[in-house]
């Protein structure tokens, strides 16, 4: 038997209603903040991620699904959404459209990860990006929206952790301080960290190796090295969030795993699961890095798989329920069957969820099946019902039966 690749999942109809619930509700919030949907290719030129995400990151060095296509081009399945969105922003001349541009996406991403709790090789993100503004108010709007999304789904015990990782100006000084701290112990770090020391020492702080994590204890923090502009920006963000009663904690250890970040970075972490559900930050240098004009930008992505895992485990949102039929029409004989089909068609046209027998079941099997699929009402049509033009509607929750004319509007009055 052929099995699905490691780290992927099938989302079956019996599960997909949870995903639909999350996506529909997230979309509603995104719409109210003025975001429009963008869809970009599943695969891009590898160079986009090397330059965008950064060639010293774990994502690029270890986790990309990269291959040569039949034309010998290096292609990569997108490991994240921001680089592709920024490419599309530049390629489609969106910089000359009214700013800011606000975009959302719901897309699968691909990373060759060590598969474990909350870590998959194909996973889905719900992301939001704002391009074309340097203002701290964009940071605030985006974080407030993320907070609203997280709250909408009643994620239990989630903490909003905030940091600023400055800009290239403040990072120069910080990199020196960090190299001073790491330098003496460099040979004790993993080989990947050693290769990152010269080019991008901040990456070392993001290493997942236990030994490196221990060595990083007590390292200087970027917050102490922020330039005036970055400091003011961060103060403004914090103050505005306080004014809006958004709780957060400052976590000076957030560095993020992707190279494009500048200034504000944030993560919504599930304390119960010990992983991040939603994360993002400012990326003021990325548009320029990818060939556009210098453009202020900020965004986030929520791990939809992680969110659903949490919702399933803690069951904190009673609004997430599978859709069940309003009515099941069982019939006996050919004429009744035709009547059932006509009624079902007319009722469905009016937005009623109706099921009829398409398996030629016996009456007993029909009723058993209607019960199994949790139909709210059941109606049996036979010769008698055809003659009288009336049938009994059974409310499956209460067991009550009620006579109804076999007319669409009469049935709707009861089942809706
Ligand atoms: P990221 O932190 O790499 O950021 O991913 C965002 C979220 O995607 C994570 O917090 C997590 O919930 C989920 N996620 C990441 N990797 C996996 C995985 N292997 N399995 C399951 N879920 C995962 C980004 O991707 C940035 N593009 C976010 C962003 C948008 N920043 C600015 N704009």
């Amino acid at each position: 038997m052929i099995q699905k690749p490691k780290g992927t999942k099938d989302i079956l109809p019996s599960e997909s209603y949870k995903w639909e619930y999350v996506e529909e509700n997230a979309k509603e919030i995104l719409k109210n903040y003025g975001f429009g949907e963008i869809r970009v290719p599943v695969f891009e030129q590898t160079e986009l991620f090397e330059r965008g995400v950064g060639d010293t990151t774990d994502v690029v060095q270890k986790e990309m699904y990269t291959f040569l296509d039949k034309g010998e081009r290096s292609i990569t399945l997108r490991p994240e959404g921001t680089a592709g969105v920024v490419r599309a922003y530049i390629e489609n001349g969106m910089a000359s459209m009214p700013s800011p541009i606000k975009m959302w996406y719901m897309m699968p991403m691909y990373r060759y990860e060590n598969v474990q709790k909350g870590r998959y090789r194909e996973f889905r993100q719900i992301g939001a990006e704002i391009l074309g503004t340097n203002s701290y108010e964009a940071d605030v709007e985006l974080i407030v929206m993320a907070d609203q999304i997280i709250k909408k789904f009643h994620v239990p015990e989630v903490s909003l952790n905030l940091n600023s990782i400055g800009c290239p100006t403040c990072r120069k000084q910080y990199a020196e301080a960090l190299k001073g701290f790491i330098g003496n112990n460099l040979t004790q770090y993993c080989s990947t960290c050693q290769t990152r020391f010269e080019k991008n020492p901040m990456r070392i702080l993001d290493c997942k190796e236990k030994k490196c994590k221990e060595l990083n204890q007590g390292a200087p923090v970027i917050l102490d090295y922020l330039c005036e502009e970055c400091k003011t920006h961060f103060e403004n963000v914090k103050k505005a969030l306080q004014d809006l009663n958004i709780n957060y904690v400052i976590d000076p250890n957030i560095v993020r795993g992707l190279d494009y970040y500048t200034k504000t970075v944030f993560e919504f972490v599930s304390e119960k699961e010990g992983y991040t559900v939603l994360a993002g930050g400012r990326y003021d240098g990325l548009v320029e890095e990818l060939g556009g004009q210098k453009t202020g930008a900020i965004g986030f992505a929520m791990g939809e798989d992680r969110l659903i895992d949490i919702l399933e485990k803690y069951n904190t949102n009673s609004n997430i329920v599978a859709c069940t039929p309003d009515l099941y029409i069982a019939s006996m004989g050919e004429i009744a069957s035709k009547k059932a089909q006509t009624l079902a068609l007319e009722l469905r046209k009016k937005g009623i969820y109706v099921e009829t027998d398409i398996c030629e079941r016996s009456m007993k099997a029909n009723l058993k099946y209607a019960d199994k699929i949790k139909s709210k009402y059941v109606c049996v049509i036979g010769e008698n019902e055809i003659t009288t033009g009336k049938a009994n509607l059974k409310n499956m929750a209460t067991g009550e039966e009620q006579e109804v004319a076999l007319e669409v509007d009469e049935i709707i009055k009861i089942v809706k």
Side-chain angles (χ1 to χ4, degrees), residues 28-192:
E28 180 78 27
I29 295 173
L30 288 156
K31 194 184 84 194
N32 290 338
Y33 282 82
F35 284 71
E37 185 183 7
I38 180 163
R39 301 185 190 196
V40 291
V42 170
F43 58 87
E44 299 268 3
Q45 291 184 44
T46 302
E47 191 190 348
L48 173 70
F49 302 112
E50 285 170 349
R51 272 173 49 196
V53 172
D55 55 9
T56 54
T57 58
D58 272 2
V59 169
V60 169
Q61 287 187 330
K62 303 177 184 170
E63 297 168 2
M64 294 207 305
Y65 280 92
T66 298
F67 57 94
L68 287 181
D69 72 5
K70 288 187 169 45
E72 301 283 304
R73 301 171 198 91
S74 182
I75 294 292
T76 294
L77 299 187
R78 64 175 172 236
E80 61 99 52
T82 312
V85 168
V86 169
R87 184 215 29 80
Y89 173 86
I90 301 167
E91 195 170 337
N92 294 287
M94 294 174 88
S96 60
M97 297 174 188
S99 283
I101 305 270
K102 297 177 179 179
M103 295 180 269
W104 66 260
Y105 49 84
M106 295 181 185
M107 310 192 292
M109 308 293 166
Y110 301 86
R111 295 186 194 175
Y112 192 81
E113 296 254 26
N114 284 324
V115 177
Q116 49 181 287
K117 188 179 95 173
R119 246 174 227 295
Y120 310 110
R121 291 187 176 166
E122 181 188 58
F123 59 96
R124 284 134 284 259
Q125 285 186 343
I126 299 180
E129 316 285 355
I130 306 179
L131 287 108
T133 166
N134 289 302
S135 169
Y136 78 90
E137 286 173 288
D139 307 33
V140 176
E141 184 175 283
L142 190 87
I143 295 172
V144 167
M145 182 173 77
D147 187 69
Q148 193 179 332
I149 290 176
I150 290 289
K151 284 188 177 137
K152 175 81 199 173
F153 300 121
H154 307 286
V155 180
E157 292 181 35
V158 67
S159 144
L160 164 57
N161 301 342
L162 200 63
N163 194 18
S164 173
I165 56 169
C167 64
T169 311
C170 20
R171 251 185 252 161
K172 236 182 245 157
Q173 253 198 353
Y174 176 62
E176 286 315 310
L178 202 53
K179 279 161 89 176
F181 173 84
I182 293 168
N184 294 338
N185 294 326
L186 187 60
T187 51
Q188 294 181 56
Y189 278 85
C190 73
S191 56
T192 312

Side-chain angles (χ1 to χ4, degrees), residues 15-30:
E15 299 293 317
S16 57
Y17 67 93
K18 298 172 200 163
W19 297 77
E20 281 169 17
Y21 176 87
V22 165
E23 288 162 15
E24 278 163 19
N25 281 278
K27 267 185 214 172
E28 180 78 27
I29 295 173
L30 288 156

Side-chain angles (χ1 to χ4, degrees), residues 59 79-83 105 109 111 113 118-125 127-129 142 256-258 260-261 267-268 275-283 298-307:
V59 169
E80 61 99 52
T82 312
Y105 49 84
M109 308 293 166
R111 295 186 194 175
E113 296 254 26
R119 246 174 227 295
Y120 310 110
R121 291 187 176 166
E122 181 188 58
F123 59 96
R124 284 134 284 259
Q125 285 186 343
E129 316 285 355
L142 190 87
R256 308 282 301 124
L258 314 164
Y260 48 62
Y261 289 110
E267 297 181 341
F268 285 80
Y275 56 49
T276 304
V277 184
L278 182 155
R282 204 161 246 295
Y283 49 92
I298 182 162
F300 69 69
M302 176 167 75
E304 204 181 347
D305 301 65
R306 288 187 185 180
L307 176 72

Side-chain angles (χ1 to χ4, degrees), residues 307-325:
L307 176 72
I308 303 263
D309 285 350
I310 291 175
L311 296 183
E312 280 177 347
K313 189 162 168 188
Y314 300 102
N315 207 9
T316 45
N317 194 333
S318 54
N319 295 325
I320 309 177
V321 280
C323 189
T324 54

